[in-house]
Amino acid sequence: MVSKWNYKSDLWIDWCPGCGNFGIHSALIKALEDLGLNPSKTVIVSGIGCSGKIAHFVNVNGVHTLHGRAIPFAMGIKIANPELEVIVHGGDGDLLGIGAGHFVALGRRNIDITVILHNNNVYGLTKGQASPTLPLGVKTKALYWPNIHERVNPVLLALASGYTFVARGYAMDTNHLRELIKKAIMHKGAAFIDVLQPCVTFNDIYTMEFYKKRIYKLEDDPNFDPIVRKDEETLPKYLKAVEKSLEWGDRIPIGIFYINENVSTFEERLSERSTGYKEIPPAKSIIEEGKPIIDQETFESMFKEFIVNVKKHQINK
Amino acid sequence: MVSKWNYKSDLWIDWCPGCGNFGIHSALIKALEDLGLNPSKTVIVSGIGCSGKIAHFVNVNGVHTLHGRAIPFAMGIKIANPELEVIVHGGDGDLLGIGAGHFVALGRRNIDITVILHNNNVYGLTKGQASPTLPLGVKTKALYWPNIHERVNPVLLALASGYTFVARGYAMDTNHLRELIKKAIMHKGAAFIDVLQPCVTFNDIYTMEFYKKRIYKLEDDPNFDPIVRKDEETLPKYLKAVEKSLEWGDRIPIGIFYINENVSTFEERLSERSTGYKEIPPAKSIIEEGKPIIDQETFESMFKEFIVNVKKHQINK
Amino acid sequence: MSSVKEVGVILGGPQGSGLETSMNVLARALASRGYWLIADREYYSNITGRHSYIHMLVSSDKQPRSLRYPVEVIAAMDAETIFTHFLDISERGVLLYDTYVSSKTLSEVASMEEHVKSRIEKNIQRLGLEPDVKSILKHLSEDKHISAIGIDYSKVLKNLSEKYNINARFLSRYLSGLIVSAVALILGIEDESVKEAFQQYFKEKTIIAEQNFAIYEMLRKQLEEYIGLVKLDPPAPRHSKIMVASGNDVVAMGKIVAGVRYQSYYPITPAADESFLLEKHSDILSKYKQPIGSLIVLQTEDEISAITSAIGASLTGVRSSTSTSGPGFDLMIEGISWAGMNETPVVITYYQRGGPSTGQPTRGAQSDLFNAVFAGHGEFSRIVLSSGDHIEAFYDTIMSFNLAEKFQVPVIHLLDKFLANSLATMDIPSLKDVLVERGYISKGGTGYKRFSLNSLISPRAPLGSEETVMWYTGDEHDEYGHICEDPEIRVKMYSKRIEKDKIILESIPLDYKFTLYGGSDFEYLLLGWGSVKGVALDAVDKLREKGLKVSYLNIKLLWPFPTLEFRDIVKSIPEDRLIAVEHSYGVNIASLIRQTTGININKKISKYTGRPITLSELLISLDKIISKETNRVVFTYGE
Amino acid sequence: MSSVKEVGVILGGPQGSGLETSMNVLARALASRGYWLIADREYYSNITGRHSYIHMLVSSDKQPRSLRYPVEVIAAMDAETIFTHFLDISERGVLLYDTYVSSKTLSEVASMEEHVKSRIEKNIQRLGLEPDVKSILKHLSEDKHISAIGIDYSKVLKNLSEKYNINARFLSRYLSGLIVSAVALILGIEDESVKEAFQQYFKEKTIIAEQNFAIYEMLRKQLEEYIGLVKLDPPAPRHSKIMVASGNDVVAMGKIVAGVRYQSYYPITPAADESFLLEKHSDILSKYKQPIGSLIVLQTEDEISAITSAIGASLTGVRSSTSTSGPGFDLMIEGISWAGMNETPVVITYYQRGGPSTGQPTRGAQSDLFNAVFAGHGEFSRIVLSSGDHIEAFYDTIMSFNLAEKFQVPVIHLLDKFLANSLATMDIPSLKDVLVERGYISKGGTGYKRFSLNSLISPRAPLGSEETVMWYTGDEHDEYGHICEDPEIRVKMYSKRIEKDKIILESIPLDYKFTLYGGSDFEYLLLGWGSVKGVALDAVDKLREKGLKVSYLNIKLLWPFPTLEFRDIVKSIPEDRLIAVEHSYGVNIASLIRQTTGININKKISKYTGRPITLSELLISLDKIISKETNRVVFTYGE
Ligand SMILES: Cc1ncc(C[n+]2csc(CCOP(=O)(O)OP(=O)(O)O)c2C)c(N)n1
Ligand SMILES: Cc1ncc(C[n+]2csc(CCOP(=O)(O)OP(=O)(O)O)c2C)c(N)n1
Ligand code: SF4
Ligand code: SF4
Ligand SMILES: [Mg+2]
Ligand SMILES: [Mg+2]
């Protein structure tokens, strides 16, 4: 398909040669091409880290935020202008270390945002410290001692937090990842993809060789269907997803763990308290230079509970 | 049993009459009595909220910290002085809203700390806003609109984060809770108790009546055994715990969901990199007034990599 | 008893027993009679049980601006109120109390902090009284000629319960109405006004209004002989409609008038009530005839999410804000620094309370000036505005959004608990001249440069503009918003973000920088900002009555500080005639002024108990300072 | 060529190619010859590929304190280095380059930012050259008499790979050794020193050291004719052992000497390397003969956890600290406010970098002065110390722990990236007089009052003390640490926490407040803090040589500011002879001084490109200011 838009920005990409981020970048660009998303209506919101730089390398709107805070920035953007397609990119330190609280909160909200985790098990941009996804006892290149923290399991945490689309991809399988990204973007609700991303500079344990031997695709198992179609499927499919998420070691599954579109999105919930939300979301309000926004009459009727009529005969005898 | 110590501080307790916190307070006092913990070697570390005030109402050391930060404060205390028994108390807003990131991180560390969640579904001390454990669509007293956030499931989140003791208690069943607290304190590793706590002032949904009808005890089911005794039991027992944690509605289980003491504690892990940790933890170091801590010789041998010997014949021809 | 211009009232009782309701209803009743009033709410960081009180000043001829002790009327829900405030009743004043408590002793008051108790005990001893209510009542009536009027509260409530068949469990909810009724009768407010006040306050709950009014009717009989015992002069004429609202309320109204479309918050005292009012209007906005869009009010998981999501919303072109107090603001600082770096308009309503740390969460302070002005790493332009009273707070809220957008900077609107939680009467704000100023809004387009260096203020296109892509980053960046470490670009961009201060100072009109009250003929100049305005103006009036030429300079624009204009206004008097007043230890405005103008102010009046400065405190301290007795006065009055 | 006192060197190449190794090895080789040096490391916020360089000054007679352009020797790993720095080579200097790049054109350099490229292009055009290496080389040798010495890097490496059978994939790792070797040869350093430097740096990896030295040997043959082409004078005598370390390193050493037992950190540039060195020593501490306890270094989940866990550790009586830069510090502010409220000693090592927000993460700045001094809600005492060089940083680190414990306050040790990442030679610090001062440590006991009001500094017992319970709270509290809202207690406690400032100022010796360099006979006084010290002292020396009586005041104690002593020291000259210098836009120390002393400094020298002020920049600006040409100079030199 020839796309109307060129999604690659013309900046030199300053990731290390061979970095898994290149795979994620290609998969994203291809997914954008396939979906033909309008660059001016698409926003990549990223955190701080090697991963966070991706916002500059794609020719759609880019908001490169603060370490750990891509999700709340994205939330503000999406809620204010639900017409925008919002995609969050962050590192494992970013989304699951300093940003873990926001990560959990997004699940509870089920905002229609896609979160893509660049999971390289290290803090790339600060030179290779252990990230929250590095398992206990593992000693990658830049560590002086083996890691003393147990890993957080991103897929499991996403499930526990309420994400309604949970998947895992592999940075080096760009075609597979491209499909996941497309599905995640099209998903109605909060979507999460844990992308296994080799860091060639600092991670000498979770290398391409490591993954090549272990990765298999969930979709290859004809008995595994992650999609909740009816309410009664929710529990068993959820439990199955949890079980699958615990698989790690000789065999590492990639693919979709869980999809549930029966949960209301945050946009739907907001419409209940703000009935005009869908037609006139915040970003579509008209706030015109040089004019008042509401008139005196409207103001007084809005706040009538604070207005007291003064009696003519003001004095008690 | 008559305790050597009086664990109740003599302050007037300023919780609302009938508040579930009184139940937690009694259960805690009784657990302390039963265990006979030395008040000077016991520390209650609490967050900010109605719940957080508990630190003042118990006659053991109390550290009433910042909103959401009881866990990292407690971590510093426990790591520096592992001899202390450290118990964290926090509200649902405190531990699972603003503090969710620390909550997740503690699981990864498996520090030998007990975390007691005062789960009242509201922000008590700020006058009744929805807390992270309030389910979607529920409208408690002080809310103007029904809640738009899905609840976070504390038991599930604790399991997903790696806590090795996970339980739920009910504030009004103080004897049951007292036993849970004792077990949690005695557990080796990070222990978590989700305590269902009626807030009589702001929570008119999750009331005592509500709970009375629904609560049942996990230990009443002879087929349910939450303790991992052998490594191969880990996965099935963990999955069973997850399944049980999802039970909510007409029947609400309390009791122990999961115990696994096969995971190394943080203290054990620290001993590996700091071999003297157990004998001379930070708080036992001798740092004496008016003396240097290390001598010149030790210093120079410690940092020999930075010291260069200057050649006698300094000049190249 | 002849009538008076002004009456001070204290309503006291345990937290959670409805004093806020009493305050609101009484205020409405008085307002509907045409009276002016101000009411401060003092309470512990506690939900139920600790001592709380409303301190009110009602006037027949003008808006009261400060509080004073003693007061003419105290209505006590419980014994603790009597012990705590018996010294605050003026001679020949009135104490309304529950006959049930007359047998109480001080030691029985469990909810009282030990320190307070021992302090009160000392006072009682000093007066040679016994530490019990009886002894105090005797002292009040005999030595102070105070009318101590006992009412059997439980009897009144029992009657009510019989009449309306109310479950005894719920009876305590009517205590607030009882207090309102008793005070209204003493003040001689007309029945109709009391009735309507109940009705307006309880809205749809008409039966509750009716029941409360029934209490009034019962008491009217009982207190027949005391009706109008403390009588206010007939009120001076005023508009036919007036507003009664708290600082939190007026800020929320201001935000709606300003067109806020995204407000995030994490609950915190004393900010949360503002968001609660906004939340109520999430739907109303969509309901009005004009297509004015929807207002999203979002409770976030923490303050970091509050500020960063508000910034996110702002990037889409939306007027957005958040609201917090000290602990929350601390957590927002990194986000504010991002907004500064990305020239993003956002409004942070910052209600100060007692610090440091959790401090005194429900008490007032002005001790966060430097945090608002200086916190954040790196240098960037920001605007810090303060408001001296409710009306200012309303217009300043609107101004904050205009300034944020015009100059593309974070605006910190610095208020405090005194204002937030106090209720005042005021004329309904006129929206006639409230205009939107959005600054340099652009439509974007191909090749759009968000950070164009052509001017200090670059064209701002919202995310989502047609045919436009743009980048934002917290890193130093080029005109497109891409990361850039080039030293030349660095200097240009960094300077641009700071040099905005100049045009901000040039554009903001003088009366948005500061206002001089009292006249330009001053021989002494009192100066301050925010919530000291009211008491300062009252003091200025009193001193001028005595012939002392004192004026008050109410500083609004705290940052960038209006150095030139400030120097100009104070140049007529020597430095040692300048006196600064603030609810803080340091009286930090003096330091800020010295830093930005070189002018030394070493006469300082300060209070940091968490309670507001009273008129008499200020008058005494001014006297001491003007008479050169001292350069610094610290006050502590008030429970 | 005759020998010289001083040589400037630049080593340039792509980030990730081993320049830091080159710097370290070369520095050790030079140090072992007895030379003094300083080396600044400039790099992008990037792991691999962007341009990075080491800027060194080596001296035969004294510790260099600042950097200068041009330099005598540049060693270029790639074409980008040549394009970026060709104007920085002095006449008759040396350029070492890879013959492979001679055919490169500027447009081929993909890793160069567009803005940098177009700026360089303009320079090239201005000189009438072509934008390619060949043209530049020609210009250098013909017009500047520079020896452009080409080496075929890949050939050298291929020889090495053949000799040692090294996989071609790993060959690039030896580029750093090649650069060291070439420069060492040009400078004529003895073989033995180079060999030992490799050995010391690579430690157990002896084969790597051997292979690197093999490169040296190959090059020695190849560059025979150039050996000692730029020759340093024989070094002045110095101690037989010297230290070569970065600012991060010396701070880590200082912490160990001070007895730190808990260090928490969240990785951030330029602070993380300090924790890395401490981490290495987690075990070594336990290994030494004395029972000096264990050091826990903990990577936390964020900076909030870093500060709060450090405070928690401190409550148990442990010396604890954390280390961060601007964005992380912002997140720590609420925690610091808790420490202030609870009179808890804790040390925060704050390395400034370019702000605001993510800013220039790998560049230097001094733009966080106000954040360190003023951030945090509520008023409380804190100590802010800065260090002017490596040796100061070492002792100040130790001092920070002593002050924190003596006064029970948070201490912020304010450093910056320039110091953190630069390497310097120095005498090994003597620990003779390094004594622990713990302040008022108590054993607690029954009835213990953590916040006793008997003195400004209350007895501090660790959590876990026998027979002792105590309470801490962020709320205002009584002497036991229980929440207390009594106004009298409030005033006492609040004042106590601020009035410590007085005893802090009284107790800290003058030379820990500031130091005057150059003599007390000054007619002009340059003043600053932190990393401007080196260049300021060099400038003072130069100007004094010319007969101008300029001195430099190096301010260490930034808060509480030593007002009295400062006034005293500057009183001999008029205000307009005071000149402040800082790596910031605002030169904010001047504002702080005005605020705290009333003294006006309106002559300011500033640089905020993220690169350090060079000696010539400072000299030029002083000249302009002293000649009254201008009051403010802003510099931008350096890539
Ligand atoms: C508040 C804050 N703390 C720390 C940093 C420093 N920092 C920059 S990137 C990074 C971590 C990067 O790790 P990760 O999120 O896994 O991203 P990666 O580089 O691996 O893609 C950190 C800690 C920062 N920028 N802001
Ligand atoms: C940083 C910060 N934000 C907000 C607050 C205000 N605050 C005090 S208590 C509280 C929440 C209380 O809710 P929860 O944690 O559930 O405790 P509960 O009172 O219900 O026991 C909040 C938000 C604060 N103290 N600090
Ligand atoms: S450090 Fe790792 S994650 Fe970062 S760019 Fe290099 S290879 Fe990629
Ligand atoms: S508000 Fe709720 S949680 Fe707080 S003390 Fe009252 S009943 Fe308990
Ligand atoms: Mg990572
Ligand atoms: Mg709660």
Side-chain angles (χ1 to χ4, degrees), chain B residues 21 48-52 67 69 90-95 98 118 120 122-126 131 197, chain C residues 266-269 303 327-328 331 353 358, chain D residues 334:
Chain B
N21 282 324
I48 298 292
C50 295
S51 44
H67 189 46
R69 318 304 171 193
D92 33 18
D94 191 280
L95 288 169
I98 192 169
H118 297 222
N120 59 6
V122 293
Y123 281 37
L125 197 53
T126 50
S131 92
Q197 176 236 318
Chain C
Y266 186 73
I268 195 163
T269 310
E303 286 88 351
L331 294 171
R353 63 187 216 187
T358 311
Chain D
E334 196 198 6

Side-chain angles (χ1 to χ4, degrees), chain C residues 329-476:
Chain C
F329 185 83
D330 287 1
L331 294 171
M332 292 185 179
I333 292 170
E334 196 198 5
I336 294 172
S337 171
W338 194 95
M341 186 62 152
N342 283 283
E343 309 189 44
T344 305
V346 65
V347 173
I348 301 109
T349 312
Y350 184 166
Y351 296 93
Q352 297 163 96
R353 63 187 216 187
S357 192
T358 311
Q360 292 186 320
T362 60
R363 309 286 178 181
Q366 296 181 279
S367 51
D368 300 354
L369 174 63
F370 287 160
N371 203 30
V373 169
F374 294 122
H377 65 286
E379 299 151 285
F380 57 92
S381 177
R382 76 182 84 190
I383 292 174
V384 184
L385 278 184
S386 75
S387 306
D389 58 31
H390 291 63
I391 281 288
E392 279 191 29
F394 176 81
Y395 290 110
D396 293 348
T397 300
I398 301 166
M399 183 66 149
S400 298
F401 287 89
N402 283 346
L403 295 176
E405 289 204 321
K406 264 174 83 172
F407 303 111
Q408 303 183 9
V409 292
V411 173
I412 298 162
H413 186 192
L414 194 57
L415 300 163
D416 61 38
K417 180 262 165 183
F418 299 122
L419 183 99
N421 288 172
S422 68
L423 204 68
T425 48
M426 68 200 96
D427 289 338
I428 297 174
S430 153
L431 305 194
K432 216 171 60 240
D433 301 322
V434 169
L435 299 181
V436 165
E437 293 181 89
R438 304 212 66 184
Y440 195 166
I441 298 271
S442 150
K443 289 207 148 91
T446 327
Y448 171 66
K449 294 176 174 175
R450 171 65 189 91
F451 301 101
S452 161
L453 283 166
N454 285 337
S455 52
L456 281 178
I457 311 293
S458 312
R460 188 167 69 98
L463 280 177
S465 300
E466 302 298 332
E467 308 285 327
T468 306
V469 292
M470 66 192 83
W471 289 271
Y472 285 95
T473 174
D475 285 70
E476 191 54 273

Side-chain angles (χ1 to χ4, degrees), chain B residues 8 13 24 39 176 186 193 196 217 226 252 299:
Chain B
K8 255 187 89 167
I13 297 184
I24 302 178
H176 181 257
M186 289 180 312
I193 311 176
L196 306 172
K217 297 195 173 119
I252 298 173
F299 176 74

Side-chain angles (χ1 to χ4, degrees), chain A residues 14-22 49-51 53 120 122-128 197-203, chain D residues 46-48:
Chain A
D14 73 351
W15 289 319
C16 309
C19 171
N21 282 324
F22 284 102
C50 295
S51 44
K53 293 184 180 179
N120 59 6
V122 293
Y123 281 37
L125 197 54
T126 49
K127 300 194 305 188
Q197 176 237 318
C199 164
V200 293
T201 302
F202 296 115
N203 194 332
Chain D
N46 156 264
I47 300 299
T48 310

